[in-house]
Amino acid sequence: MTPPGPSFSPSPVSTVRSQLVDIEARAIRPVEIRVSAGRIDSIETLETGGVDDTFIVPGFVDAHVHIESSMLTPSQFAAAAVIHGTVATVSDPHEIANVLGLPGVRYMLDDASRVPFKFLFGAPSCVPATVFETSGASISPEETAELLDDDRIGYLAEMMNFPGVLQEDPDVLAKIEAARQRGKPIDGHAPGLRGDDVSKYFAAGITTDHECTQLDEAIEKLAAGAMIQIREGSAARNFDALYPLIDQYPGRVAFCSDDKHPDELVSGHINALCRRAVGRGCDLFHVLTAACIVPVRHYRLDVGQCRVGDRADFVELESLETFDVRRTIIDGDCVSEAGRSLITVPPAQPMNQFRCGFKRPDQFKLPALHATDMRVIVAEDRLLTTRSETVSPTLVGGSVVADPDRDLLKLTVVNRYADADPAVALVRSFGLSRGALAGSVGHDSHNILGVGADDESLCEAVNAIIGHEGGLAVVDGQRIETLPLPVAGLMSTQSCDVVAARYQEIDTLARQMGCKLQAPFMTLSFMALLVIPSLKLSDLGLFDGDRFQLVDHWSVP
């Protein structure tokens, strides 16, 4: 577990003179804010000048995020996020929970406690996410209730098993009821759900959704009572489709990243969404309501909202157009200033679970069982969804082979919790002309995923991951470049700057090999996410997300 120790050097704030953006009053006025014992003691409106040419707003909140997807521990994530004015996150630890179970969730809680940042963790509701894959752990309804009894757990995390809700699965309903009995919110996950199913899903007590990709879908879910989280992450980017909701439904939408890689966290967070929204003409006060107020109220976060008596959690902005952050204040302490984090993080002790042995190239062969067309997964850039196509594969010696000239690559999922033969399929849209990519970040069970232009390169990339017991790898035919992730095969113990720099190096190499996806490794990590349609691959085989069942490569409807 993580060692105890001091995590930052406090820089207490006692008085701030700036222009306060009063969201509730829809006004901006010069003020002097006095802070005492971590709370706002007074806010005095000034008659004359004498204030800094800056703006005070409540701290930004990411309303739904998996910290693990940043490849950073919670403490390192916090040290990076405060630079952009983020003071809190609503964090679902189901990534590490699928690898390590309850000990993984407690690892996140313990690590988060080392830094001056306001994490609200949820109790993962779907571990494993489905019965059609192998995960490293499971969390029962009784264990879910145990987590919900922990005061550090504030909600039931996203209920991805929407078929279980609709079909009234007893275990699913037991987890929902456990949260309801304790008065804790229940997060939703209902991609593409429409019609009567929407009403039934949210009537079960679920209160949010972050999976909307279309405006009319979001409006239908709002009508059913949901709070909509507008997602803009490293893979799923829905802001452009959904930003009109900010003005159409003020007070009922929030911002979230869901999954954000370290290279993007370096450049911005929720403040970047504020900048884009204001740039699109959205009302400033509606934007700040989404970024600062809605998640605090919905999840009852212990985060101040710039009122007398509140926690002194606020951000000093250079501009209400650029949303560049001069300082971030949490509980009256300055935790970032002038683009520099003041949080220092003691070393963390990794924990992990990796039990598979090295593979051979012949294990990635895909026999041509029929002389017919076969199903192929089509990845979609900037989306978590995939499409299914039917193609006539390229055959050599009775086996299906990758054919980069036709944009047909081998995709594999390798069970990392036991020795087993790899599952193999064909995939389009990655665009590699040579080599392979692999990683142990594979939502949601986090087996090893790989994509390659030939079996030898694919095997080499997978074995690089096995050798490090987790990480990302690129094989280009001449060299192997890796980013080790020793914490559950998901996270590094190093700082965001270090991880982001290494990530950018391997991402650049992937592009040099022909990949044109916005975020190659993020897209790869979702090729095994069975709860998102339509065609995916698990370690047990090809999976049809529309029919919610394993399917044959060759039995094309």
Side-chain angles (χ1 to χ4, degrees):
M1 299 300 291
T2 56
S7 55
F8 81 121
S9 301
S11 178
V13 172
S14 58
T15 303
V16 177
R17 287 188 162 213
S18 183
Q19 300 177 78
L20 175 64
V21 182
D22 188 329
I23 299 172
E24 187 173 349
R26 295 182 60 82
I28 301 174
R29 65 183 192 276
V31 299
E32 179 180 88
I33 299 175
R34 290 188 175 272
V35 177
S36 175
R39 293 187 178 272
I40 295 178
D41 193 52
S42 65
I43 301 177
E44 179 186 354
T45 300
L46 302 177
E47 296 290 339
T48 58
V51 301
D52 290 341
D53 189 22
T54 57
F55 301 87
I56 296 294
V57 301
F60 301 128
V61 180
D62 191 329
H64 174 77
V65 63
H66 304 284
I67 299 295
E68 304 97 311
S69 290
S70 70
M71 295 179 248
L72 307 171
T73 58
S75 52
Q76 294 287 7
F77 179 95
V82 293
I83 294 172
H84 309 300
T86 305
V87 303
T89 61
V90 180
S91 307
D92 179 357
H94 81 206
E95 314 298 355
I96 197 170
N98 271 283
V99 178
L100 295 165
L102 294 188
V105 176
R106 293 182 178 125
Y107 181 96
M108 301 294 277
L109 292 168
D110 291 343
D111 185 79
S113 70
R114 305 191 301 157
V115 291
F117 188 87
K118 303 198 172 181
F119 291 100
L120 184 73
F121 284 100
S125 66
C126 299
V127 179
T130 74
V131 298
F132 302 103
E133 58 198 307
T134 303
S135 70
S138 62
I139 295 180
S140 68
E142 293 76 21
E143 290 172 317
T144 301
E146 178 186 336
L147 281 174
L148 288 165
D149 283 332
D150 189 324
D151 290 339
R152 298 172 297 174
I153 298 291
Y155 67 105
L156 182 65
E158 58 178 312
M159 179 50 71
M160 297 184 295
N161 188 1
F162 61 86
V165 176
L166 300 177
Q167 296 163 17
E168 300 181 5
D169 177 275
D171 281 358
V172 169
L173 296 186
K175 293 176 181 179
I176 290 173
E177 184 58 25
R180 293 181 66 169
Q181 287 178 359
R182 291 159 178 80
K184 295 187 175 182
I186 303 163
D187 264 10
H189 166 111
L193 205 65
R194 308 299 288 267
D196 292 341
D197 288 344
V198 170
S199 300
K200 185 172 183 178
Y201 181 75
F202 291 105
I206 294 163
T207 56
T208 71
D209 188 77
H210 60 274
E211 292 290 346
C212 296
T213 60
Q214 302 295 328
L215 191 61
D216 58 346
E217 176 190 357
I219 291 172
E220 188 174 357
K221 290 174 178 175
L222 282 159
M227 182 261 280
I228 298 298
Q229 296 152 333
I230 298 175
R231 173 176 59 188
E232 190 76 358
S234 294
R237 300 175 184 269
N238 308 130
F239 176 87
D240 287 341
L242 302 181
Y243 80 87
L245 297 173
I246 297 167
D247 284 340
Q248 293 174 10
Y249 296 90
R252 296 194 59 197
V253 299
F255 294 138
C256 78
S257 62
D258 196 4
D259 296 287
K260 197 169 188 69
H261 269 184
D263 59 324
E264 294 198 3
L265 184 59
V266 166
S267 61
H269 196 197
I270 301 302
N271 65 323
L273 291 182
C274 293
R275 178 170 61 247
R276 287 177 62 183
V278 169
R280 292 291 186 95
C282 293
D283 179 273
L284 170 67
F285 298 101
H286 292 166
V287 171
L288 292 174
T289 297
C292 312
I293 304 299
V294 171
V296 171
R297 293 179 178 173
H298 183 85
Y299 295 100
R300 299 186 290 276
L301 301 178
D302 187 21
V303 174
Q305 299 184 330
C306 289
R307 301 170 301 195
V308 174
D310 279 3
R311 296 275 185 185
D313 305 320
F314 53 84
V315 180
E316 191 174 0
L317 298 174
E318 301 280 1
S319 161
L320 293 175
E321 295 178 347
T322 65
F323 287 84
D324 291 335
V325 175
R326 177 179 291 186
R327 291 194 298 174
T328 302
I329 314 297
I330 298 179
D331 286 337
D333 287 315
C334 180
V335 293
S336 80
E337 187 168 16
R340 183 174 65 93
S341 178
L342 302 182
I343 296 175
T344 57
V345 181
Q349 181 66 40
M351 64 186 305
N352 207 346
Q353 183 177 192
F354 238 94
R355 296 176 180 159
C356 66
F358 292 111
K359 304 305 177 188
R360 305 181 312 273
D362 64 271
Q363 291 180 278
F364 296 90
K365 284 188 175 180
L366 183 57
L369 301 181
H370 304 280
T372 59
D373 291 345
M374 67 183 297
R375 289 184 176 91
V376 172
I377 299 169
V378 182
E380 298 195 274
D381 199 13
R382 303 190 181 194
L383 294 175
L384 308 188
T385 55
T386 61
R387 293 183 290 108
S388 177
E389 281 188 1
T390 302
V391 303
S392 176
T394 301
L395 305 180
V396 174
S399 293
V400 177
V401 297
D403 190 342
D405 290 340
R406 297 176 60 198
D407 190 26
L408 289 172
L409 301 177
K410 283 278 187 77
L411 177 71
T412 188
V413 178
V414 179
N415 184 339
R416 68 133 128 169
Y417 305 106
D419 262 324
D421 285 334
V424 183
L426 290 183
V427 67
R428 273 189 156 153
S429 298
F430 277 88
L432 294 178
S433 59
R434 68 184 191 280
L437 316 178
S440 56
V441 179
H443 302 284
D444 277 321
S445 293
H446 300 292
N447 289 299
I448 302 168
L449 279 81
V451 60
D454 62 85
D455 292 353
E456 289 73 20
S457 295
L458 187 58
C459 182
E460 197 171 11
V462 166
N463 283 340
I465 302 302
I466 295 171
H468 282 286
E469 295 192 344
L472 306 180
V474 180
V475 173
D476 72 350
Q478 296 180 329
R479 55 182 168 152
I480 304 172
E481 298 292 343
T482 61
L483 167 58
L485 300 174
V487 181
L490 302 173
M491 293 170 281
S492 171
T493 59
Q494 296 183 298
S495 71
C496 185
D497 286 344
V498 171
V499 178
R502 184 57 176 158
Y503 177 80
Q504 288 177 326
E505 288 173 358
I506 63 173
D507 182 77
T508 298
L509 182 54
R511 296 177 192 284
Q512 291 172 351
M513 292 157 53
C515 188
K516 295 180 174 57
L517 294 172
Q518 176 85 16
F521 284 99
M522 184 68 85
T523 299
L524 177 62
S525 74
F526 287 108
M527 292 299 100
L529 184 54
L530 309 188
V531 295
I532 300 287
S534 61
L535 191 63
K536 297 292 175 72
L537 183 67
S538 87
D539 66 296
L540 302 181
L542 204 58
F543 186 81
D544 186 326
D546 296 317
R547 294 155 61 189
F548 221 73
Q549 63 184 39
L550 292 166
V551 293
D552 188 87
H553 289 89
W554 307 95
S555 300
V556 178

